[in-house]
Amino acid sequence: FKFSECIAALISLLCCVQAVTLEVKDGNSTCIKAELSASLSVTYNTSNGTRTVMVSLPNSTLVDTAKSSCGGSGSAPWLVAAFGSGHAIGLSFSTNGSVYSVTNLTLQYNLSDFSLFPEANSSGVVSVTNASVGIWAPINTTYRCVSPTTIRALEVAVTFSDMRLEAYMPGNDLSPAESVCTADQTPTAPPTTTTAATTTTTAPPRPPPGTPERGTYSVRNINGTECLLAQMGLQLNVSYFSQSENKTVQELFNLTPNLTSSSGSCGASRATLVLTQDQNTTLSFIFTMNSTSNKYHLSGIVLLANWSDMSAPLSASNTSLDYLRSTLGRSFMCNAEQTLRVVPAFSLNTFRLQVQPFGVTTKQFAAAEECQMDQDQMLIPIIVGAALAGLVLIVLIAYLIGRKRSHAGYQTI
């Protein structure tokens, strides 16, 4: 494209991104309501390579009543927004009774729509899904995120902005109580005032929680067999705005194994482990398999936390990670402490970790591939031992040479 064409396309995109209101109803009652703006970035194949187009959610977007529902009888609530010639954005929801969340984001686009996808070398409808969305809020609370939030699914990315959303609604209007996303939480310093001198007592800093206890977690297939194994101690390093201290604080929080339940799913190329503690902390791991190289890695971590001192629930996620890399049929082990950086406000410390998300054939881990830190720790004593052995050998040789020279003066004449 020429520079002028790019500028024109950008202006067109900015002008066309509009807010839409979507409602899923059961009779006269609204169970899901969303007010949002969205734009899709789709990369597709052409005869000359690939092309990326931007598709904005138009104000003519409608709820697909045939695919949307309030759930029930074992089915999840769905909001499916349809627009254009066969394009759609779908959100499925779940709840644990106190918190609801978006469990799946489905993006559908029709390559046969040549007005949006010119020169596409294939046709038909393409659907992609992302199961790590990071949108959640307490029940009877509206999720709000004005800042742009981009979620990727393979070659498609959707950017939401100006979003207000609520599921499992008790009434027909969005709740006035709001759960604000992390990107919108930019606390400002309180105004400076001059007051009379007073004596205040500052609470002492909380002691560090120490090394976390090692927990054993697993995920089972539909047939009841274990398909994912994990043993690890987990420590959350989280920054959030404290209500009691009226400032941003950084806390270390250990997961307690006997208070933590595990769930998840296993697939040929994707596996998830979801750890939930006290219904106010949910930590999810997403593992991805490369079928070509038979290598897997930890590609995503999602944290949902709603602690009593938080000014708003915390949602932190990153699905572009590359940690814990190993080979199909083997487990990954790292006894040393690791720090897995997720986002600026959240990192995860692991201790005595061993995990196998694919190729589990028994209830035991397969042979392990060790992390570099463990290999380095084993190498140090070997180097020290070799150095000591060399030193002893040098002393012994020096002693023998010295002894031989001392005998040379007493030879018989």
Side-chain angles (χ1 to χ4, degrees):
F1 292 114
K2 296 179 179 179
F3 180 76
S4 59
E5 293 175 341
C6 292
I7 294 296
L10 179 60
I11 294 173
S12 175
L13 172 65
L14 294 174
C15 292
C16 294
V17 176
Q18 305 175 54
V20 297
T21 299
L22 307 166
E23 294 185 63
V24 179
K25 292 180 174 290
D26 184 4
N28 294 324
S29 300
T30 300
C31 61
I32 305 173
K33 186 172 183 178
E35 299 173 353
L36 53 85
S37 300
S39 62
L40 281 72
S41 171
V42 182
T43 300
Y44 64 97
N45 294 321
T46 68
S47 57
N48 297 321
T50 61
R51 177 179 293 186
T52 300
V53 299
M54 303 296 295
V55 182
S56 300
L57 202 64
N59 57 9
S60 58
T61 302
L62 298 174
V63 172
D64 188 334
T65 55
K67 297 180 180 179
S68 302
S69 75
C70 293
S73 301
S75 63
W78 271 93
L79 165 62
V80 179
F83 60 98
S85 302
H87 316 299
I89 296 177
L91 302 173
S92 69
F93 297 84
S94 65
T95 181
N96 61 7
S98 60
V99 170
Y100 67 89
S101 62
V102 176
T103 52
N104 283 288
L105 166 68
T106 299
L107 304 173
Q108 176 180 297
Y109 57 98
N110 184 8
L111 290 174
S112 300
D113 184 355
F114 295 115
S115 63
L116 290 179
F117 304 104
E119 301 179 3
N121 61 4
S122 60
S123 59
V125 175
V126 180
S127 295
V128 292
T129 300
N130 187 327
S132 175
V133 180
I135 295 176
W136 71 291
I139 288 290
N140 300 337
T141 303
T142 299
Y143 174 84
R144 190 197 77 187
C145 198
V146 176
S147 302
T149 302
T150 301
I151 303 169
R152 299 186 181 277
L154 298 180
E155 65 278 2
V156 186
V158 59
T159 299
F160 293 110
S161 58
D162 296 324
M163 172 184 277
R164 298 179 73 231
L165 169 73
E166 186 176 0
Y168 302 95
M169 297 172 60
N172 292 333
D173 293 323
L174 293 171
S175 171
E178 293 185 335
S179 174
V180 182
C181 68
T182 306
D184 284 359
Q185 296 180 34
T186 53
T188 56
T192 303
T193 57
T194 303
T195 59
T198 57
T199 302
T200 59
T201 302
T202 303
R206 299 176 187 173
T211 302
E213 181 182 351
R214 192 187 197 201
T216 299
Y217 312 102
S218 64
V219 176
R220 294 179 181 271
N221 276 320
I222 297 176
N223 59 12
T225 59
E226 292 177 325
C227 57
L228 184 152
L229 303 174
Q231 289 184 341
M232 50 194 169
L234 297 172
Q235 186 177 75
L236 313 179
N237 189 343
V238 182
S239 296
Y240 64 92
F241 193 76
S242 167
Q243 288 181 320
S244 60
E245 300 185 39
N246 196 32
K247 66 178 183 179
T248 299
V249 298
Q250 187 169 5
E251 291 287 349
L252 293 176
F253 178 83
N254 289 351
L255 282 192
T256 306
N258 61 1
L259 300 177
T260 302
S261 61
S262 62
S263 60
S265 62
C266 298
S269 60
R270 183 186 179 91
T272 61
L273 171 65
V274 181
L275 304 179
T276 303
Q277 178 169 313
D278 295 335
Q279 294 189 347
N280 60 12
T281 306
T282 300
L283 180 65
S284 301
F285 299 86
I286 303 164
F287 297 90
T288 302
M289 168 68 72
N290 186 321
S291 58
T292 303
S293 63
N294 279 341
K295 295 283 188 178
Y296 66 82
H297 67 282
L298 177 64
S299 59
I301 296 178
V302 180
L303 172 66
L304 308 176
N306 187 19
W307 302 339
S308 58
D309 193 36
M310 286 182 169
S311 60
L314 173 71
S315 172
S317 66
N318 189 335
T319 56
S320 301
L321 304 177
D322 189 6
Y323 295 128
L324 317 187
R325 182 171 287 275
S326 188
T327 306
L328 178 63
R330 300 175 71 89
S331 62
F332 177 88
M333 176 185 290
C334 197
N335 287 312
E337 178 184 353
Q338 296 183 100
T339 297
L340 310 182
R341 304 191 183 279
V342 183
V343 294
F346 168 52
S347 61
L348 180 67
N349 302 327
T350 69
F351 301 78
R352 294 189 298 152
L353 176 145
Q354 187 170 9
V355 63
Q356 186 176 350
F358 300 99
V360 175
T361 56
T362 66
K363 294 184 179 180
Q364 296 181 342
F365 289 103
E369 293 186 5
E370 297 189 36
C371 66
Q372 188 62 47
M373 286 184 289
D374 283 0
Q375 296 176 21
D376 293 343
Q377 288 183 355
M378 292 180 62
L379 189 61
I380 290 173
I382 293 174
I383 294 173
V384 172
L388 290 176
L391 182 61
V392 170
L393 182 61
I394 292 172
V395 171
L396 180 61
I397 293 172
Y399 169 73
L400 292 175
I401 294 173
R403 185 178 179 184
K404 184 176 180 180
R405 287 181 176 177
S406 64
H407 282 295
Y410 297 95
Q411 293 179 356
T412 303
I413 301 176

